[in-house]
Every structure is written in C-alpha cells, then in structure tokens.
Amino acid sequence: MLRLVAAGVAALALVAPAAAHTDGGTGLSLEWPASGTITRGYGYDGAEWHPGIDIGSLRTLDITAAAPGVVEAIGYVPHYEGYGEVVLVNFGDGLEALYAHLSWVTVHEGEHVVTGQKLGNAGCTGYCSGTHLHFELREQGEAFDPAPLLPATIP
C-alpha cells in the first residue's frame, strides 16, 4: 500500500505546471469540441512536445465551438504548418482555440460563433495518421492544457 501511495505522489510531482492552468478569472467555460476519445494528451509524448489534445475514435465528424468567439482564421494558416485545415477562434482576453486537421470548414473569418455551433468536420489534413481533431488553447499565443477547462467527461 505504501508503494502505491508513493507512486501516486511521484506521478503527481511529474504533472506539468500547465495542467494547473485556470481561466485566469475570465469566466471562460468550455464544452467538448468533439465526441470521441482522447488519443493523445497535452505535453511531452516521449521526446516530442504536443501542444494540445487529440480527440479520435469519433462518434461523429462534427467539430463544434468549445466557447463563443470570433473566427480569426480558417484554412491553411501561416505559422500553423503541419496542422492542415484549421479554424482559429478568438475568445477575447488573449484566449484562442485552434481546431486542426479538419477536412471541411463551415464558418468564415470574422463570423461570431456560439458554443456548440458547427465549425467543420474532422479529417486528416496536414501531418496526421488518421481522422481526429487536434484541439489547442492559447493564451497570448502560448499553448496550455485545455483539459482543466473542459467538462470531466466527453459526451
């Protein structure tokens, strides 16, 4: 039993500081942008950095807005090479969401979107190995773990 407790404490000590990120008092509340399984988490995966979460084994290809905002960019966006077809939504207060690897986009730049509004379809554009959604949150351009701001269970 003591070894199990020690292992749990050691595992908690290895959690990246970004896992403790909060909404910074903005009141941002997110919904899941896709319905599936997290197939890759935020942070280091071996020696490789992964700045978001991947949601695969999708129940539907629909990708929806995690929160209300304004569509800042769509398509193959400069500085996001490898992400394929993306939708970038600005939530305000320096917070943005990146939805990547889409096969189809249903919104336009400058469009105001509401939580749950369809943004497009999941796909495998850019660098990917199968149909999924790569979802990132950024604050002042820096990626952070979206998991603490999402509901505990994926729909």
Side-chain angles (χ1 to χ4, degrees):
M1 178 71 166
L2 185 55
R3 278 190 228 158
L4 183 58
V5 171
V9 169
L12 286 174
L14 295 175
V15 173
H21 188 89
T22 67
D23 67 4
T26 64
L28 182 65
S29 174
L30 300 178
E31 294 297 324
W32 284 97
S35 182
T37 302
I38 295 178
T39 55
R40 188 172 181 194
Y42 173 88
Y44 282 100
D45 183 3
E48 186 175 297
W49 176 250
H50 190 244
I53 60 173
D54 288 348
I55 304 171
S57 303
L58 299 166
R59 291 177 189 83
T60 173
L61 295 178
D62 291 345
I63 302 303
T64 59
V70 177
V71 177
E72 198 169 276
I74 61 169
Y76 287 81
V77 177
H79 309 294
Y80 292 98
E81 289 78 15
Y83 286 92
E85 187 99 15
V86 306
V87 173
L88 185 64
V89 175
N90 187 327
F91 297 142
D93 295 322
L95 297 171
E96 300 171 314
L98 176 73
Y99 307 81
H101 303 303
L102 304 183
S103 64
W104 185 260
V105 173
T106 59
V107 292
H108 305 284
E109 286 184 25
E111 183 175 342
H112 291 264
V113 295
V114 297
T115 304
Q117 180 177 337
K118 186 171 178 174
L119 303 175
N121 287 351
C124 186
T125 57
Y127 303 136
C128 68
S129 58
T131 299
H132 72 285
L133 170 68
H134 174 85
F135 180 63
E136 274 182 35
L137 287 182
R138 293 175 172 253
E139 184 171 30
Q140 306 300 333
E142 295 293 320
F144 66 92
D145 188 357
L149 297 180
L150 289 164
T153 58
I154 299 175

